[in-house]
């Protein structure tokens, strides 16, 4: 599956979709072991590495509080055909088996993927077993993807 090209992903900003009262810009934001700058609205985050402050590398979306309709618009721009009410089986049908699956609670599952043929992205989807997609993280930061792949490889070897 191919989705948005890197150069287009790098230009996406939260302010393209939302500029409401809880919108704010942040600096020195710690996420996935890296330091970022970016934009936030609740748990929706659009982040750029402090070393590359012009290029969005990570987007997190909160589907649980989407009164502004941000999530659907962002998925459309990303060319990511995930539906907000998708189930675990819907994700597997669309993306295949995840490379990692984690259950932190009885009623939720997090499924991690490396997607894209021409442009590779880390994609993590947290689903509620009844209500569907709750959170989504998508990232094209190479160092983070390599760290994640390395951790998973070590687990499989152990």
């Amino acid at each position: 599956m191919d989705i948005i090209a890197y150069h287009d992903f790098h230009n996406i900003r939260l302010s393209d979709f939302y500029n409401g009262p809880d919108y704010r810009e942040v600096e020195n934001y710690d996420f996935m072991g890296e330091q970022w700058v970016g934009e936030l609205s609740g748990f929706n985050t659009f982040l750029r590495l402090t070393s590359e402050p012009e290029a969005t590398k990570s987007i997190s979306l909160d589907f649980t509080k989407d009164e502004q309709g941000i999530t659907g618009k962002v998925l459309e721009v990303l060319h990511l055909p995930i539906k907000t009410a998708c189930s675990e089986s819907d994700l597997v049908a669309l993306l295949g088996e995840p490379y990692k699956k984690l259950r932190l609670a009885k009623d939720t599952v997090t499924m991690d993927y490396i997607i894209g043929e021409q442009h590779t992205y880390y994609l993590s989807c947290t689903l509620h077993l009844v209500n569907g997609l709750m959170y989504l993280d998508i990232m094209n930061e190479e160092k983070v993807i390599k760290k994640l792949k390395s951790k998973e490889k070590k687990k499989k070897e152990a």
Side-chain angles (χ1 to χ4, degrees):
M1 167 189 302
D2 266 329
I3 64 170
I4 192 169
Y6 290 150
H7 66 276
D8 293 328
F9 188 90
H10 295 168
N11 292 319
I12 297 173
R13 300 292 185 268
L14 175 58
S15 56
D16 295 337
F17 304 95
Y18 180 73
N19 199 10
D22 63 339
Y23 168 90
R24 65 187 175 109
E25 294 185 13
V26 294
E27 294 181 16
N28 299 315
Y29 188 85
D30 187 38
F31 179 64
M32 302 291 279
E34 301 292 332
Q35 290 295 307
W36 307 80
V37 297
E39 306 165 288
L40 304 171
S41 170
F43 289 107
N44 294 303
T45 62
F46 289 60
L47 301 173
R48 306 176 306 274
L49 287 168
T50 54
S51 60
E52 294 181 67
E54 298 304 314
T56 297
K57 297 279 190 149
S58 176
I59 296 174
S60 298
L61 299 173
D62 179 358
F63 291 81
T64 66
K65 296 179 179 126
D66 190 30
E67 296 83 29
Q68 301 86 15
I70 296 170
T71 58
K73 293 174 191 171
V74 175
L75 290 175
E76 188 176 321
V77 168
L78 294 173
H79 307 289
L80 193 55
I82 294 176
K83 298 194 180 353
T84 59
C86 74
S87 67
E88 191 174 334
S89 59
D90 293 335
L91 264 186
V92 170
L94 180 65
L95 302 172
E97 289 295 327
Y99 83 87
K100 181 179 172 188
K101 188 173 177 179
L102 181 64
R103 289 195 190 276
L104 294 175
K106 284 189 228 177
D107 60 351
T108 63
V109 63
T110 298
M111 300 170 71
D112 292 347
Y113 292 92
I114 302 295
I115 62 168
E117 294 166 25
Q118 190 173 13
H119 303 282
T120 304
Y121 292 87
Y122 162 75
L123 175 69
S124 181
C125 298
T126 299
L127 301 128
H128 185 271
L129 299 180
V130 174
N131 300 324
L133 193 57
M134 296 171 58
Y135 301 102
L136 177 145
D137 294 309
I138 185 164
M139 179 181 300
N140 79 322
E141 169 44 33
E142 252 182 69
K143 286 190 302 186
V144 174
I145 291 173
K146 283 180 184 175
K147 264 192 252 182
L148 293 167
K149 283 183 175 179
S150 171
K151 283 182 184 178
E152 200 54 36
K153 186 177 178 183
K154 286 178 186 174
K155 282 183 187 176
K156 287 180 181 176
E157 290 172 355

